[in-house]
Amino acid sequence: GETKKARRSSMVRRRYGKRGAARPLTGFSCRRLARALPVLALALVHFALACSASSRPPVGTYEKVGAEDETWRSPFVGFLYHAFGWTAFLSWSCSFYPQIWENYRTWSVEGISFDFVSFNFIKHSSYGAYNVVLYFSKAVQSQYEEHYKTKTIPVALNDVGFSIHAVLMVMVQICQLCTHERGQQRITFTATMILAVAVLFILINLCIALSGKRIFGLTSWLGFITAMNHLQLAMTFIKYSPQAYYNWKRKSTEGWSVWGIVLDLAGGVCNLFQILILCWNASDITPLTGDAGKLGLSIETLFFDIIFIFQHYVLYSKRKRGSSYKFLED
């Protein structure tokens, strides 16, 4: 027992220095990450510009704000809708903190993929643009209502709150990438190209929306936020892949907090139930077809979170790592 404890202490000292302190930053420093920051800054600009659409003059006399004024079959159904929504908000919002704390505790970001954080920023800023505009803009709500022939707006206040909080938390993680020990970590060339394509996609659609043209057959700003919703769905799939691959490559989940994934999984389940309740209450599947991003987000979250939990507790569990050490000693 003492030998095993001493070996672990030695490993920690070699990796983080005495008492877990970070080694001095290498010559890599922030230079490589700084090359990708303009891409992330452009994504933040598009988020701010998209939010400005919510201040456009309303069309007609449409007064509904998001799904808050929905007529419910019973007070209990309304309670369930909001309960699942705010539980998803709390679970997803809290899912950021275990990894942020893990990075701070070890003063190291070696356990988290830089590509994952970069994709996460594009994903959440795009999803935030969709939620904020569709929730607050009466003009876009009218366009949505006319196009999908429905009175049900699929975005709730908890969706807006989560998106804004998520963008802020990813920015905190980016700051940690700049200041904490990172080993050989960097944003890969492939990820940089994907980020560049994503930002180009954003800018093209933003220019089309500003010109008043139709996007994907949808009127100006409705078309723009729909494009952003599809982009966040694609980025959700792309962002999880580097972390899953990085865990497999290291044959370890050390330095990566599984509790964030457990909370993420809980949020995905609650989000799925919320949108299903909305469809059942209105006897209308438009929230599924008109907000495919929200449904797709829940499905993709469940799929990858199950993979991550399997990696942590089965493939690369502490028990298996201990068995490997014992085999090497023998």
Side-chain angles (χ1 to χ4, degrees):
E2 291 298 327
T3 303
K4 187 174 181 181
K5 185 180 295 184
R7 183 173 60 250
R8 283 186 176 177
S9 299
S10 177
M11 290 174 61
V12 170
R13 283 195 298 271
R14 287 199 303 270
R15 182 175 180 184
Y16 302 120
K18 188 177 181 182
R19 295 184 181 178
R23 297 190 301 268
L25 293 181
T26 64
F28 167 74
S29 189
C30 298
R31 289 199 299 271
R32 291 186 182 273
L33 183 61
R35 296 174 187 173
L37 286 180
V39 176
L40 303 182
L42 282 173
L44 186 60
V45 169
H46 110 262
F47 174 63
L49 288 174
C51 291
S52 70
S54 62
S55 63
R56 293 172 64 90
V59 176
T61 58
Y62 192 68
E63 296 296 336
K64 179 183 284 189
V65 178
E68 305 305 311
D69 292 337
E70 187 73 26
T71 301
W72 302 106
R73 297 190 179 194
S74 70
F76 181 69
V77 174
F79 168 78
L80 283 180
Y81 174 81
H82 292 294
F84 277 120
W86 287 107
T87 302
F89 166 80
L90 290 174
S91 298
W92 274 344
S93 296
C94 291
S95 69
F96 288 96
Y97 292 98
Q99 187 62 56
I100 290 175
W101 170 250
E102 179 72 14
N103 296 343
Y104 172 78
R105 184 181 66 83
T106 62
W107 204 255
S108 170
V109 290
E110 291 187 53
I112 186 170
S113 167
F114 280 29
D115 294 352
F116 173 83
V117 177
S118 304
F119 294 148
N120 218 15
F121 187 85
I122 299 289
K123 181 263 179 189
H124 285 301
S125 61
S126 299
Y127 192 44
Y130 175 83
N131 286 331
V132 169
V133 174
L134 187 55
Y135 185 83
F136 288 108
S137 175
K138 296 180 176 64
V140 176
Q141 288 176 358
S142 297
Q143 294 170 9
Y144 183 93
E145 182 184 37
E146 181 180 355
H147 180 81
Y148 290 105
K149 304 296 187 292
T150 183
K151 295 289 184 179
T152 303
I153 302 298
V155 177
L157 182 60
N158 60 271
D159 297 319
V160 177
F162 164 71
S163 294
I164 295 174
H165 176 270
V167 171
L168 295 176
M169 289 299 100
V170 177
M171 291 177 69
V172 170
Q173 289 183 333
I174 292 174
C175 291
Q176 290 182 323
L177 300 188
C178 291
T179 58
H180 290 34
E181 170 62 34
R182 62 185 60 81
Q184 301 300 315
Q185 276 270 56
R186 67 182 187 277
I187 296 178
T188 63
F189 176 78
T190 301
T192 303
M193 292 298 100
I194 293 175
L195 292 171
V197 171
V199 172
L200 183 62
F201 176 80
I202 291 168
L203 294 177
I204 290 175
N205 282 280
L206 184 60
C207 291
I208 295 174
L210 289 171
S211 68
K213 303 295 184 181
R214 299 174 71 87
I215 304 175
F216 299 132
L218 301 174
T219 308
S220 60
W221 285 109
L222 178 60
F224 173 73
I225 65 171
T226 300
M228 294 304 97
N229 200 18
H230 292 163
L231 175 62
Q232 73 87 14
L233 192 58
M235 295 306 294
T236 298
F237 180 83
I238 294 173
K239 77 165 187 173
Y240 281 123
S241 302
Q243 187 65 53
Y245 171 76
Y246 187 55
N247 292 344
W248 172 82
K249 183 179 179 181
R250 296 188 306 150
K251 299 297 186 290
S252 170
T253 57
E254 185 179 356
W256 173 83
S257 176
V258 71
W259 291 109
I261 296 302
V262 172
L263 290 168
D264 194 41
L265 179 64
V269 172
C270 291
N271 187 65
L272 181 60
F273 275 111
Q274 184 189 35
I275 195 170
L276 290 177
I277 287 174
L278 184 62
C279 292
W280 174 77
N281 179 75
S283 299
D284 183 5
I285 63 170
T286 301
L288 294 177
T289 57
D291 189 5
K294 189 169 184 176
L295 174 64
L297 175 61
S298 296
I299 294 175
E300 288 182 345
T301 297
L302 295 176
F303 175 74
F304 278 101
D305 286 348
I306 290 173
I307 291 178
F308 290 140
I309 290 174
F310 183 75
Q311 285 182 322
H312 185 78
Y313 288 109
V314 180
L315 292 181
Y316 316 127
S317 65
K318 291 183 179 180
R319 184 170 55 186
K320 284 200 171 186
R321 291 200 296 270
S323 299
S324 298
Y325 293 143
K326 185 175 181 181
F327 174 76
L328 290 174
E329 285 181 343
D330 294 341

